């Protein structure tokens, strides 16, 4: 699972990245601070199944803190995107190409409206309408995808027709570098009335609409109304809600400060929570005391900094992922070595249990017999569709126990 952070220059992408990954990538108030993408590991959180089963777990591929599973996901922070990036403006195509593998995008918006479309400072908040950024960014991504589709379209379409190739599989092959799967293409075709027998006859508009739907499905976007700590941002966030945009209000800067000071043991703060505790007030100067007063207000008002909420929403709601816990010993809930609930996997909604077996181990898919739902102890057929927080034992041929 790869989350891409996108947005115009100066919107706070790298600050969000550092806050989410405890990273130290360069942040500055001038455009195009980031040129080479930063890649790091962030965590999404969900209530662990350990409490329900009344066990003490030994997580291996994730963490369990106070009954909450922290599951790693990859995060990529790329260069700022400016209008006409798809034509190569700004750091244009390079930025877009860095996003090829992303499964879901988080659009970090400067909700305070302090910068123009190119990320140049306007001097004070409220001089730019962040709703414009939301529109333009989606359009840039669609145009970028359209441009990729358009390349060699006639040649490709002719092959489909002349060689009677299957449209869906050929299209998935064509777009595999964009992390686009067969299911994505099938879903697009369900929504649009396009003749897949005769792609040569598609008009430019039809191809554009195809790109537009594909963007929605294969690169869904979560909007983060960042810099919510700045006056004016709240008003703009409210306008987003009024327009039906399900944005998450956030202060990446507040999260970054909290994890920095927590790391130095000056405060106690658990990611995603709506409070912190100052452990050593003597280590804070007057300026820092004021900073934490302000952060305290933000946490209370918005029930957290929004960074963890945004990551969770991006993965579970927008990215439509669920969690599944595989175990080898159904009564001890453990692996062969006795580790209780060692792993949790993020899988796409709709994943069948046989496919899940292949994600754990390619061999398992070949020797798969059936699975057991550890909660009900019932046998599950291979086409069982997994549910969120399922605990599963896979039974394979040749394996004992
Ligand atoms: N007040 C406030 N400032 C923020 C917040 N997040 C980022 N900033 C500031 O916004 C400026 C730009 O932050 P960056 O994280 O470098 O922005 P970016 O989107 O990565 O910019 P580019 O790499 O140039 O595209 C810096 O001065 C940050 O301190 C926030 O939540 N609140
Ligand atoms: Mg940056």
């Amino acid at each position: 699972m790869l989350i891409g952070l996108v947005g115009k220059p100066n919107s706070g992408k790298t600050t969000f990245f550092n806050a989410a990954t405890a990273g130290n990538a360069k942040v500055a108030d001038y455009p195009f601070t980031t040129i080479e993408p930063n890649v790091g590991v962030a965590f999404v959180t969900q209530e662990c199944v350990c409490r329900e089963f009344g066990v003490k777990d030994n997580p291996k591929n994730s963490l369990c803190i106070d009954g909450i599973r922290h599951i790693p996901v990859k995060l990529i922070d790329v260069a700022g995107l400016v209008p006409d990036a798809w034509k190569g403006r700004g750091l244009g195509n390079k930025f877009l190409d860095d996003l090829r593998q992303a499964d879901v995008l988080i659009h970090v918006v400067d909700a305070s409206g302090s910068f123009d479309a190119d990320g140049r400072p306007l001097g004070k908040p409220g001089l730019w309408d962040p709703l414009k950024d939301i529109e333009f960014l989606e359009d840039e991504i669609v145009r970028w995808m359209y441009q990729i589709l358009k390349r060699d379209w006639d040649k490709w379409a002719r092959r489909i027709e002349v060689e009677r190739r299957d449209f869906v599989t050929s299209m998935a092959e064509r777009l595999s570098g964009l992390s686009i799967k067969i299911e994505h293409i099938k879903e697009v075709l369900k929504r649009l009335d396009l003749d897949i027998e005769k792609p040569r006859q598609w008009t430019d508009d039809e191809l554009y609409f195809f790109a537009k739907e594909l963007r929605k499905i294969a690169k869904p976007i979560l909007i983060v109304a960042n810099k919510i700590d700045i006056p004016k941002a709240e008003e703009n966030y409210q306008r987003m809600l009024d327009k039906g945009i399900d944005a998450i209000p956030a202060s990446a800067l507040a999260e970054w400060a909290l994890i920095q000071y927590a790391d130095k043991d000056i405060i106690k703060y658990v990611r995603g929570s709506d409070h912190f505790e100052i452990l050593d007030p003597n280590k804070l100067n007057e300026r820092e005391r004021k900073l934490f007063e302000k952060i305290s207000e933000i946490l209370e008002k918005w029930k957290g900094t929004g960074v963890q909420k945004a990551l969770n929403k991006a993965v579970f709601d927008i990215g439509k992922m669920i969690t599944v816990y595989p175990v080898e010993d159904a009564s001890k809930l453990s692996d062969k070595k006795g580790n209780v609930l060692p792993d949790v996997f993020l899988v796409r909604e709709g994943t069948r249990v046989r496919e899940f077996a292949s994600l754990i181990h390619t061999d398992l898919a070949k020797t798969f017999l059936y699975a057991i739902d550890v909660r009900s102890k019932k046998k599950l057929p291979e086409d069982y569709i997994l549910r969120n927080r399922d605990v599963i034992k896979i039974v394979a041929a040749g394996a004992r126990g």
Side-chain angles (χ1 to χ4, degrees):
M1 180 89 197
L2 177 67
I3 306 176
L5 292 173
V6 295
K8 72 182 181 188
N10 267 328
S11 63
K13 299 177 294 299
T14 303
T15 307
F16 187 105
F17 172 86
N18 284 339
T21 62
N24 247 320
K26 185 165 180 194
V27 166
D29 60 358
Y30 48 81
F32 299 120
T33 308
T34 307
I35 297 174
E36 287 308 318
N38 301 304
V39 182
V41 174
F43 291 85
V44 289
T45 54
Q46 192 186 55
E47 195 185 334
C48 181
V49 297
C50 64
R51 293 211 168 144
E52 176 193 336
F53 285 93
V55 293
K56 170 81 194 78
D57 50 4
N58 320 97
K60 293 288 155 196
N61 79 346
S62 45
L63 307 165
C64 187
I65 305 170
D66 297 333
I68 302 291
R69 268 291 163 133
H70 294 240
I71 308 153
V73 289
K74 266 209 280 180
L75 198 59
I76 181 166
D77 161 42
V78 299
L81 180 72
V82 295
D84 285 338
W86 67 279
K87 287 188 202 157
R89 202 173 156 257
L91 297 172
N93 289 324
K94 176 178 158 18
F95 151 94
L96 290 160
D97 285 343
D98 287 334
L99 286 177
R100 284 170 172 270
Q101 292 302 320
D103 301 297
V104 53
L105 306 176
I106 292 182
H107 180 185
V108 180
V109 176
D110 165 28
S112 73
S114 311
F115 299 90
D116 72 7
D118 288 342
R120 282 184 299 247
L122 294 168
K124 64 173 191 187
L127 294 178
W128 182 259
D129 180 1
L131 287 168
K132 283 193 202 161
D133 297 339
I134 296 177
E135 241 172 68
F136 114 83
L137 188 122
E138 188 197 312
D139 191 52
E140 287 299 326
I141 294 180
V142 173
R143 282 178 194 280
W144 166 64
M145 290 173 87
Y146 169 72
Q147 191 188 31
I148 292 172
L149 281 165
K150 186 101 177 109
R151 225 178 271 159
D152 289 339
W153 176 261
D154 291 334
K155 200 168 134 204
W156 178 82
R158 186 174 304 126
R159 277 229 305 272
I160 297 288
E161 292 183 25
V162 176
E163 296 173 22
R164 295 179 166 277
R165 291 189 185 205
D166 177 54
F167 180 95
V168 175
T169 38
S170 301
M171 182 58 88
E173 273 165 29
R174 188 176 153 87
L175 298 177
S176 61
L178 289 181
S179 190
I180 287 172
K181 315 256 164 11
I182 284 183
E183 302 79 68
H184 295 140
I185 295 163
K186 282 188 183 158
E187 185 57 37
V188 173
L189 294 172
K190 251 193 252 167
R191 296 184 187 186
L192 299 174
D193 183 24
L194 291 168
D195 187 353
I196 59 169
E197 304 285 320
K198 298 197 176 69
R200 263 199 293 184
Q201 289 174 15
W202 287 18
T203 62
D204 280 355
D205 278 353
E206 282 177 321
L207 193 55
Y208 182 79
F209 285 124
F210 182 80
K212 203 171 154 106
E213 284 306 309
L214 195 57
R215 198 290 300 156
K216 282 188 205 155
I217 294 161
K219 308 275 175 206
I221 302 176
L222 170 74
I223 307 292
V224 165
N226 193 36
K227 310 198 186 184
I228 200 74
D229 52 284
I230 298 180
K232 276 285 172 196
E234 184 175 352
E235 189 184 312
N236 283 326
Y237 163 64
Q238 196 54 51
R239 288 174 54 235
M240 290 176 199
L241 294 186
D242 293 345
K243 284 233 160 182
I245 299 165
D246 195 8
I248 300 276
S251 174
L253 195 59
E255 178 77 13
W256 170 236
L258 287 166
I259 61 160
Q260 287 295 299
Y261 284 79
D263 192 46
K264 292 181 202 139
D265 287 329
I266 301 173
I267 66 167
K268 186 170 181 245
Y269 171 69
V270 177
R271 278 181 183 287
S273 77
D274 59 0
H275 59 274
F276 63 91
E277 191 188 326
I278 297 178
L279 297 173
D280 195 346
N282 297 327
K283 283 199 181 146
L284 294 178
N285 61 33
E286 189 51 30
R287 192 186 55 82
E288 290 168 319
R289 257 194 291 278
K290 285 225 171 78
L291 171 72
F292 280 104
E293 260 169 42
K294 184 156 184 213
I295 291 178
S296 195
E297 284 166 22
I298 296 167
L299 293 190
E300 199 173 320
K301 179 161 189 184
W302 301 103
K303 309 270 171 289
T305 66
V307 170
Q308 190 61 56
K309 239 179 253 166
L311 291 166
N312 289 355
K313 193 173 170 85
V315 170
F316 296 119
D317 295 351
I318 310 278
K320 296 200 166 51
M321 303 297 273
I322 57 167
T323 57
V324 180
Y325 297 72
V327 298
E328 284 174 79
D329 184 322
S331 54
K332 293 196 186 112
L333 304 181
S334 70
D335 62 11
K336 282 202 185 84
K337 292 180 188 142
N339 296 305
V340 175
L341 298 169
D343 296 330
V344 57
F345 281 69
L346 283 172
V347 299
R348 253 166 255 288
E349 245 177 56
T351 301
R352 290 171 199 276
V353 71
R354 178 190 273 275
E355 195 189 330
F356 177 63
S358 72
L359 295 175
I360 303 178
H361 204 294
T362 33
D363 287 350
L364 257 187
K366 290 181 211 133
T367 53
F368 177 94
L369 292 175
Y370 60 92
I372 294 169
D373 172 8
V374 171
R375 277 194 187 84
S376 66
K377 309 271 187 294
K378 283 206 180 101
K379 232 172 151 172
L380 299 170
E382 63 174 6
D383 64 350
Y384 167 79
I385 295 177
L386 292 158
R387 285 170 316 180
N388 191 34
R389 301 174 77 246
D390 263 347
V391 185
I392 297 287
K393 173 181 162 61
I394 307 254
V395 180
R400 267 168 291 159

